[in-house]
Amino acid sequence: MEFGIHTFVWNDGQSQKDIEQAMEATRAAGYAVLELPGLDPARFDLAGLVRRAEALDLKLAASAGLPPACDVTSPDPETVRRGEAFLLEAVGVARDLGCSQMSGPIFSAHRKFDTLPDRDGWQRSADVLARVAGVAKEAGVALCLELVNRYETNLINTVAQGLAYIADTGSDNIFLHLDTFHMNIEEADPVQAIRLAGRHIGYFHVGESNRGHLGSGCIDFAPVFDALLEAGYDGIVSIEAFNPPALNDHLKAVCAIWRDVIGDNAAFARHARTFMEMQHEAALRRAAAYGGA
Amino acid sequence: MEFGIHTFVWNDGQSQKDIEQAMEATRAAGYAVLELPGLDPARFDLAGLVRRAEALDLKLAASAGLPPACDVTSPDPETVRRGEAFLLEAVGVARDLGCSQMSGPIFSAHRKFDTLPDRDGWQRSADVLARVAGVAKEAGVALCLELVNRYETNLINTVAQGLAYIADTGSDNIFLHLDTFHMNIEEADPVQAIRLAGRHIGYFHVGESNRGHLGSGCIDFAPVFDALLEAGYDGIVSIEAFNPPALNDHLKAVCAIWRDVIGDNAAFARHARTFMEMQHEAALRRAAAYGGA
Amino acid sequence: MEFGIHTFVWNDGQSQKDIEQAMEATRAAGYAVLELPGLDPARFDLAGLVRRAEALDLKLAASAGLPPACDVTSPDPETVRRGEAFLLEAVGVARDLGCSQMSGPIFSAHRKFDTLPDRDGWQRSADVLARVAGVAKEAGVALCLELVNRYETNLINTVAQGLAYIADTGSDNIFLHLDTFHMNIEEADPVQAIRLAGRHIGYFHVGESNRGHLGSGCIDFAPVFDALLEAGYDGIVSIEAFNPPALNDHLKAVCAIWRDVIGDNAAFARHARTFMEMQHEAALRRAAAYGGA
Amino acid sequence: MEFGIHTFVWNDGQSQKDIEQAMEATRAAGYAVLELPGLDPARFDLAGLVRRAEALDLKLAASAGLPPACDVTSPDPETVRRGEAFLLEAVGVARDLGCSQMSGPIFSAHRKFDTLPDRDGWQRSADVLARVAGVAKEAGVALCLELVNRYETNLINTVAQGLAYIADTGSDNIFLHLDTFHMNIEEADPVQAIRLAGRHIGYFHVGESNRGHLGSGCIDFAPVFDALLEAGYDGIVSIEAFNPPALNDHLKAVCAIWRDVIGDNAAFARHARTFMEMQHEAALRRAAAYGGA
């Protein structure tokens, strides 16, 4: 298991310099992985980022969210076409950054929908994702569907839905990106959800119920880490949180970040790492006691 | 403490007949109170509803949410004016229905905002609410601010914010309407939040973390009921949930109801009542053991 | 899954009349099973109890605890011999009562030990239990080892130990009797313990952390009922609690019952049944959501 | 709040050298306080221990448990007399060690009782403690009653009982020594218990439900640390656990330590300190959010 942190704990990643600063802060806080938001390849020197990461012995993880104009569930073919192009570009960026996966809410627009989901939109999305997953596979990049809550997509909110969707794509290169913040809203039981997801988990976000300090909210993390261990998940576990002073208004509005719940972000990052490590160690201890893992 | 249920467990309350059916179902499920959504006085025979409720020995509770065109935080004076009129009408409906409070997300539009909150919008809202609260007081109706989550308003998500807002209105007729579903997303600690709210609690919604069956989600209800007891709250505690087959598409989209998590709604209602009663009794038992209540 | 209740919720079962009263109270409280403490066959008309149970459509469950003079871990051969005779008699009683199992702390004296456990005592116990299990098997009675806490035995406190012990007996007629009160003290994780026990569970006690009202203590019962379902356990789940006014001093001292934490025992029994049923239903609901059971 | 650790995490404290080694290990693990078990003043150079502690900048805390021969609840006057002498000597040791309190199960024998408690024994105990508390007060030593579980005393298991007992002594120098391991067995709600104890808390033990690694058991520590903060407790919080390889058989039998649940004791100690600090910081964070502390 490798511990990562999302760029948004540091800044909004709008420039090469932002990302480089985030890399250094990530290293200083003791993480092995930095998760990058969707980067426009025309605006970033990706090779430069890779070199910087290698110099810091840091792994990069790529994520992205589909903007409304690229909604692959849309009845408008042009919108869907834009979505497919957007995803293919994001896969290319992930590949160029040396990432083994590209994750996020990539199966529909990342937004509060005003319309109900329907079977046709689901199928349009699955068709696009199947194609993109094929291309991604050749690039060595796994697609990971971030199961965000009902207010950020209307299509897939739970693991059960996610698995049905993956089956419908017919792809073996699509996985689930689970997130404790979202599961706390959508899953009757996040722990059973993780166990149901099992070997289909491709990426994992840890976030407190209010997106604040881990352990200071409503989420019971002990059985979450037990379930990750039981699922045999040994990939990246990243803390996702938001540092409002360094984020632009558009990003804050999209993610509904109306107030600061993390305070000193460097202290927050160090705390999150220690918290995750202690939870993981506790899970290993319990697994040893019960013959698991 | 009186146990209530929201109309949306039964239907979307779009007609006199809907409400009457909801009243009967509420009675059959053993509740003392039916919470009604905002009713247009031009379309409903309010006096008829009151008679029907009296015949069933049922109390009514009024709630409402501000539509975007009535957003009292808006920089557009006309929008704010419409909001004030909307609220005054809702207060009148509450009074005519014999309700002692009118609650809901009434301090801003009930929607996912695309803009950040600001001090001016807060003040515009507080000014309107102060005036409406004055009128409401004369009508014997308390205003209760429902603290909904970040995706349903950008203005007030936590008890701490709610208390600051009430202070800014200067009114003694504005209270908090807390909801466990929303607190599970926004409050670092819902129990401390209830204790902080204390005597300012005017209405209370119980809802599971995924809006499904109580006790089958992430919320730890035991300390919630302890805290209500400690706060001396003896008002209405209503289950809020949504029965998708009987709701219109607009309502489902506003509330992000994309799937059915309650199944048989009559069975759900009976279960919720038993659950709330058992939790309340357990809280009384603990309070007796520890000298509380 | 069948719900049962221990006689000690009613009385100490020292007479035929006590047991008959307990049967009636058990029926009145809606249970399917009454768990009887060790009955001396010389003092009870077992056939009469069976007839009474049949008339009430009640199933009986047999349990027993080894007194110090019958400690099968003892280095004294005569004590061990007495223990074996005691267990064989208890198996006979279980058989005559039509019980499919005989459970309790039967692998060592049921007491606070003043000495450390050792390998020889373990082996003496395992040898006796293997022989008794063989006889019991012919009688159609499964032996169930109640894993009590450190203060009630020094030999086996956890599921991991219990499974090792069963393996050492070489018997296929020895199972585990788990108890949430004891697991709350001994198991790092009662839920993982139940899952580890799996198909070896032969009997199950539900008890709150302080032996009081279910749901008013420290135990998180939701995942306990999930784990029972996952383990495929469809046997008896009994509430064990103690009604001090109707128990003799010796029994109270053995079980460390110094105060009354249940109050009205008939109300306690009804509450426990409703609580267990609701927990079981919630577990079924979650299992349906996650493809389990 | 100062974090301490019990000597038994290191060794059984049977010699000057044992204690000195424990002091060094305590310091190395980053604790401010070492809790010492009852020391026989005839066998220890107390002044030497004080010098050693000062050199290490370590505070000492004194505890003791009444042996059966010194049971102050006994109907035998000679036994009670021995108990009073034992306690007075323990107070003297605490004073000589510079401790501001002497704590432990000092109101009755520390054992599994075979007899029921009665009012006379309670009164005999209260009379002795009142006198000892008077002497202790002049020595600047507060008496703290450790509320151990039902298997370790029959007299006082809960905070409610402890407060009644203190009232009966009439002393203002008797406080409560709470312990999470014991509360997990005895209190319907450990958090309400801490709040009920309030300013009467004089010492505090943190222990996991199975006496193993903090956070790897059944206890929900977050609200425990919230409650300590709310109670205004700023005294010593010590981890109590047992390192079997370094304890004598008698001690293990008295405390029912039949197996090793901590493993590497130095690693255990460091983990416990980090765990307690993180819990305390999280409580401070929540208190800041909710206007507490």
Side-chain angles (χ1 to χ4, degrees):
Chain A
M1 195 173 281
E2 290 176 301
F3 295 115
I5 189 165
H6 197 290
T7 295
F8 294 160
V9 173
W10 309 117
N11 56 59
D12 55 15
Q14 294 297 300
S15 70
Q16 191 90 2
K17 199 177 154 196
D18 280 351
I19 304 290
E20 288 173 356
Q21 286 180 339
M23 284 184 190
E24 277 155 35
T26 295
R27 228 333 146 208
Y31 287 86
V33 184
L34 174 65
E35 178 177 338
L36 301 173
L39 300 185
D40 179 350
R43 293 177 47 225
F44 286 85
D45 167 14
L46 300 181
L49 293 180
V50 169
R51 283 193 301 274
R52 195 80 197 86
E54 284 173 351
L56 290 164
D57 192 23
L58 206 62
K59 182 182 282 195
L60 300 177
S63 62
L66 278 178
C70 295
D71 185 359
V72 293
T73 71
S74 171
D76 172 46
E78 189 49 40
T79 300
V80 174
R81 233 178 332 256
R82 273 195 302 270
E84 184 159 350
F86 179 98
L87 291 173
L88 288 169
E89 185 178 277
V91 165
V93 169
R95 176 200 58 212
D96 293 349
L97 290 170
C99 305
S100 52
Q101 78 280 308
M102 200 280 284
S103 71
I106 54 178
F107 46 81
S108 82
H110 182 217
R111 63 171 299 192
K112 166 69 173 70
F113 275 80
D114 300 322
T115 53
L116 301 185
D118 63 19
R119 183 70 211 170
D120 289 346
W122 170 287
Q123 195 56 53
R124 282 187 291 269
S125 169
D127 290 346
V128 169
L129 269 277
R131 286 193 296 271
V132 174
V135 174
K137 193 174 184 182
E138 292 182 19
V141 174
L143 294 191
C144 299
L145 314 174
E146 184 172 12
L147 305 184
V148 294
N149 72 65
R150 61 191 70 187
Y151 300 104
E152 300 193 6
T153 182
N154 65 357
L155 197 71
I156 310 178
N157 303 125
T158 67
V159 165
Q161 292 176 307
L163 294 178
Y165 177 95
I166 290 175
D168 281 358
T169 64
S171 169
D172 64 354
N173 191 39
I174 304 184
F175 297 87
L176 299 178
H177 167 184
L178 304 186
D179 181 308
T180 58
F181 167 75
H182 296 297
M183 288 196 290
N184 180 55
I185 302 174
E186 296 300 338
E187 298 287 355
D189 186 338
V191 174
Q192 290 200 43
I194 294 170
R195 293 169 64 193
L196 178 62
R199 62 183 183 78
H200 297 280
I201 307 174
Y203 198 72
F204 200 87
H205 267 175
V206 159
E208 201 25 289
S209 54
N210 69 341
R211 293 196 181 281
H213 282 77
L214 300 180
S216 293
C218 300
I219 295 178
D220 184 7
F221 282 104
V224 165
F225 278 82
D226 288 339
L228 284 174
L229 207 59
E230 183 186 342
Y233 180 68
D234 57 3
I236 300 167
V237 174
S238 291
I239 170 76
E240 182 182 42
F242 297 83
N243 178 36
L247 305 182
N248 63 77
D249 286 0
H250 173 69
L251 175 59
K252 285 192 275 194
V254 166
C255 297
I257 306 300
W258 316 127
R259 62 192 197 281
D260 188 348
V261 293
I262 74 168
D264 177 337
N265 59 349
F268 175 89
R270 288 191 303 271
H271 175 272
R273 184 181 50 80
T274 304
F275 184 92
M276 293 192 286
E277 283 171 1
M278 287 183 78
Q279 290 285 348
H280 182 51
E281 286 164 14
L284 287 170
R285 212 176 281 129
R286 282 187 293 269
Y290 292 104
Chain B
M1 194 172 281
E2 290 177 302
F3 295 114
I5 189 165
H6 196 290
T7 296
F8 294 161
V9 174
W10 308 117
N11 56 59
D12 55 14
Q14 293 297 301
S15 70
Q16 191 89 1
K17 198 178 154 197
D18 280 350
I19 304 288
E20 289 173 356
Q21 285 181 339
M23 283 184 189
E24 277 154 37
T26 295
R27 228 333 145 207
Y31 287 88
V33 183
L34 174 64
E35 177 177 340
L36 301 174
L39 300 185
D40 179 349
R43 294 177 47 226
F44 285 85
D45 168 13
L46 300 181
L49 293 180
V50 169
R51 283 193 302 275
R52 195 78 198 88
E54 284 173 350
L56 289 163
D57 191 22
L58 207 61
K59 182 182 284 193
L60 299 177
S63 62
L66 278 178
C70 295
D71 185 358
V72 293
T73 70
S74 171
D76 172 46
E78 189 48 41
T79 300
V80 174
R81 227 171 345 250
R82 272 196 303 270
E84 184 160 350
F86 179 97
L87 292 173
L88 288 169
E89 185 177 278
V91 165
V93 170
R95 176 202 58 213
D96 293 350
L97 290 170
C99 305
S100 52
Q101 77 279 309
M102 200 279 286
S103 70
I106 54 179
F107 46 81
S108 82
H110 182 216
R111 63 170 298 193
K112 165 69 174 70
F113 275 80
D114 301 321
T115 53
L116 300 186
D118 64 19
R119 183 70 212 168
D120 289 346
W122 170 288
Q123 195 56 53
R124 283 187 289 270
S125 169
D127 290 346
V128 170
L129 270 276
R131 287 193 295 272
V132 175
V135 175
K137 191 173 185 182
E138 291 182 20
V141 173
L143 294 191
C144 301
L145 314 174
E146 183 172 12
L147 304 185
V148 294
N149 71 66
R150 61 191 69 187
Y151 300 104
E152 300 193 6
T153 182
N154 65 357
L155 199 70
I156 310 178
N157 303 125
T158 68
V159 165
Q161 292 176 308
L163 293 177
Y165 177 95
I166 290 174
D168 281 358
T169 65
S171 169
D172 63 355
N173 191 39
I174 304 184
F175 298 86
L176 299 178
H177 167 184
L178 304 186
D179 180 308
T180 58
F181 167 75
H182 296 296
M183 288 196 289
N184 180 55
I185 301 173
E186 296 300 339
E187 297 287 355
D189 186 339
V191 174
Q192 290 200 43
I194 294 169
R195 294 169 63 194
L196 177 61
R199 62 182 184 79
H200 297 280
I201 307 174
Y203 197 72
F204 200 86
H205 267 174
V206 160
E208 199 29 286
S209 54
N210 68 341
R211 293 196 182 280
H213 282 77
L214 300 179
S216 292
C218 299
I219 295 177
D220 184 8
F221 282 104
V224 165
F225 278 81
D226 288 339
L228 283 174
L229 206 60
E230 184 186 341
Y233 180 67
D234 58 2
I236 299 167
V237 174
S238 291
I239 169 76
E240 182 182 42
F242 298 83
N243 178 37
L247 305 182
N248 63 76
D249 286 1
H250 173 70
L251 175 59
K252 284 192 275 194
V254 167
C255 297
I257 306 300
W258 315 128
R259 61 191 198 281
D260 188 347
V261 293
I262 73 168
D264 177 338
N265 60 348
F268 176 89
R270 288 191 303 272
H271 175 271
R273 184 181 50 79
T274 304
F275 184 92
M276 292 191 287
E277 283 170 1
M278 287 183 77
Q279 290 287 347
H280 182 50
E281 286 164 15
L284 286 170
R285 212 176 282 128
R286 282 187 293 269
Y290 293 104
Chain C
M1 194 173 281
E2 290 176 300
F3 295 115
I5 189 166
H6 197 291
T7 295
F8 295 160
V9 173
W10 309 116
N11 56 59
D12 54 16
Q14 294 296 301
S15 69
Q16 191 88 3
K17 200 178 155 195
D18 280 350
I19 304 289
E20 287 173 356
Q21 286 181 339
M23 283 184 189
E24 276 155 37
T26 295
R27 224 338 142 207
Y31 287 88
V33 183
L34 174 65
E35 178 179 339
L36 301 174
L39 300 185
D40 179 350
R43 293 178 47 224
F44 286 85
D45 167 14
L46 301 180
L49 293 179
V50 169
R51 282 193 302 275
R52 196 78 199 87
E54 284 173 352
L56 290 163
D57 192 22
L58 206 63
K59 183 182 281 194
L60 300 177
S63 62
L66 278 178
C70 296
D71 185 359
V72 293
T73 70
S74 171
D76 172 46
E78 187 50 39
T79 299
V80 174
R81 231 175 335 257
R82 273 195 303 269
E84 184 160 349
F86 180 97
L87 292 174
L88 288 170
E89 184 178 277
V91 165
V93 170
R95 177 202 57 212
D96 293 349
L97 290 171
C99 306
S100 51
Q101 78 280 309
M102 200 280 286
S103 71
I106 55 179
F107 46 80
S108 81
H110 182 218
R111 63 171 297 190
K112 165 71 173 68
F113 276 80
D114 300 322
T115 53
L116 301 186
D118 63 20
R119 184 69 211 170
D120 288 346
W122 170 287
Q123 195 57 53
R124 281 188 291 270
S125 169
D127 290 345
V128 168
L129 269 278
R131 284 193 297 271
V132 174
V135 173
K137 193 174 185 183
E138 291 183 20
V141 174
L143 295 192
C144 300
L145 314 174
E146 183 172 12
L147 304 183
V148 293
N149 71 64
R150 61 190 70 187
Y151 300 105
E152 300 193 7
T153 183
N154 66 356
L155 198 71
I156 310 178
N157 303 125
T158 68
V159 165
Q161 292 176 307
L163 293 177
Y165 177 95
I166 289 175
D168 282 358
T169 64
S171 170
D172 63 355
N173 191 39
I174 304 184
F175 298 87
L176 299 178
H177 166 185
L178 304 186
D179 180 309
T180 58
F181 167 74
H182 296 297
M183 288 196 291
N184 180 55
I185 301 174
E186 296 299 339
E187 298 287 355
D189 186 337
V191 174
Q192 290 201 43
I194 294 170
R195 293 169 63 194
L196 177 61
R199 61 181 184 80
H200 296 281
I201 307 174
Y203 197 73
F204 200 87
H205 267 174
V206 160
E208 198 29 287
S209 55
N210 69 341
R211 295 196 180 282
H213 282 79
L214 300 179
S216 292
C218 300
I219 295 177
D220 184 7
F221 282 104
V224 165
F225 277 81
D226 288 340
L228 283 175
L229 207 59
E230 184 187 342
Y233 181 67
D234 57 2
I236 300 167
V237 174
S238 290
I239 169 75
E240 183 183 40
F242 297 84
N243 178 37
L247 305 182
N248 62 77
D249 286 0
H250 173 70
L251 175 58
K252 284 192 274 195
V254 166
C255 297
I257 306 302
W258 316 128
R259 61 192 198 279
D260 187 348
V261 293
I262 73 168
D264 177 337
N265 60 348
F268 175 90
R270 288 191 303 271
H271 175 272
R273 185 180 51 78
T274 305
F275 184 92
M276 291 192 287
E277 282 171 1
M278 288 182 77
Q279 290 286 348
H280 182 51
E281 286 164 14
L284 287 170
R285 214 176 279 128
R286 282 187 293 267
Y290 293 104
Chain D
M1 193 172 284
E2 290 176 300
F3 296 114
I5 189 166
H6 196 290
T7 296
F8 295 160
V9 173
W10 308 116
N11 56 59
D12 54 15
Q14 293 297 300
S15 70
Q16 191 88 2
K17 200 178 154 196
D18 280 350
I19 304 289
E20 288 173 356
Q21 286 180 339
M23 284 184 188
E24 277 154 35
T26 295
R27 225 337 144 205
Y31 286 87
V33 183
L34 174 65
E35 177 178 338
L36 301 173
L39 300 185
D40 179 351
R43 293 178 46 223
F44 285 86
D45 167 13
L46 301 179
L49 293 179
V50 169
R51 283 193 301 276
R52 195 79 199 86
E54 284 173 350
L56 290 164
D57 192 23
L58 207 61
K59 182 182 282 195
L60 299 177
S63 62
L66 277 178
C70 295
D71 185 359
V72 293
T73 70
S74 171
D76 172 46
E78 187 50 38
T79 300
V80 174
R81 224 164 356 244
R82 273 195 303 269
E84 184 159 352
F86 179 97
L87 292 174
L88 289 169
E89 185 177 277
V91 165
V93 169
R95 176 202 58 213
D96 293 349
L97 290 171
C99 307
S100 51
Q101 78 280 307
M102 200 280 287
S103 71
I106 54 178
F107 46 80
S108 82
H110 182 217
R111 63 172 297 190
K112 165 70 174 68
F113 275 80
D114 300 323
T115 54
L116 301 186
D118 64 19
R119 185 69 210 168
D120 289 347
W122 170 287
Q123 197 54 54
R124 281 188 290 269
S125 169
D127 291 345
V128 169
L129 269 279
R131 286 193 296 271
V132 174
V135 174
K137 193 173 184 183
E138 292 182 21
V141 174
L143 294 191
C144 299
L145 313 174
E146 184 172 11
L147 305 184
V148 293
N149 71 65
R150 61 191 70 186
Y151 300 104
E152 300 193 6
T153 182
N154 66 357
L155 198 71
I156 310 178
N157 303 125
T158 68
V159 165
Q161 292 176 307
L163 293 176
Y165 177 95
I166 290 174
D168 281 359
T169 66
S171 169
D172 63 355
N173 191 39
I174 304 184
F175 297 86
L176 299 178
H177 167 183
L178 304 186
D179 180 309
T180 58
F181 167 74
H182 296 296
M183 289 196 290
N184 180 55
I185 302 174
E186 297 299 338
E187 298 287 356
D189 186 338
V191 174
Q192 290 201 43
I194 294 170
R195 294 168 63 194
L196 177 61
R199 61 181 184 80
H200 297 281
I201 306 174
Y203 197 73
F204 200 86
H205 268 174
V206 160
E208 198 30 286
S209 54
N210 69 340
R211 295 197 180 280
H213 283 77
L214 300 179
S216 292
C218 300
I219 295 177
D220 184 8
F221 282 104
V224 165
F225 278 81
D226 288 339
L228 283 174
L229 207 59
E230 184 186 343
Y233 180 67
D234 58 2
I236 300 167
V237 175
S238 292
I239 170 75
E240 182 182 42
F242 297 84
N243 178 36
L247 306 182
N248 62 76
D249 287 359
H250 174 71
L251 175 59
K252 284 192 274 194
V254 166
C255 296
I257 305 302
W258 316 127
R259 60 190 199 283
D260 187 347
V261 293
I262 73 168
D264 177 338
N265 60 347
F268 176 90
R270 288 192 302 272
H271 175 272
R273 184 181 50 79
T274 304
F275 184 92
M276 292 192 287
E277 283 171 2
M278 288 183 76
Q279 290 286 348
H280 182 52
E281 286 164 14
L284 287 169
R285 212 176 281 128
R286 282 187 293 268
Y290 293 104

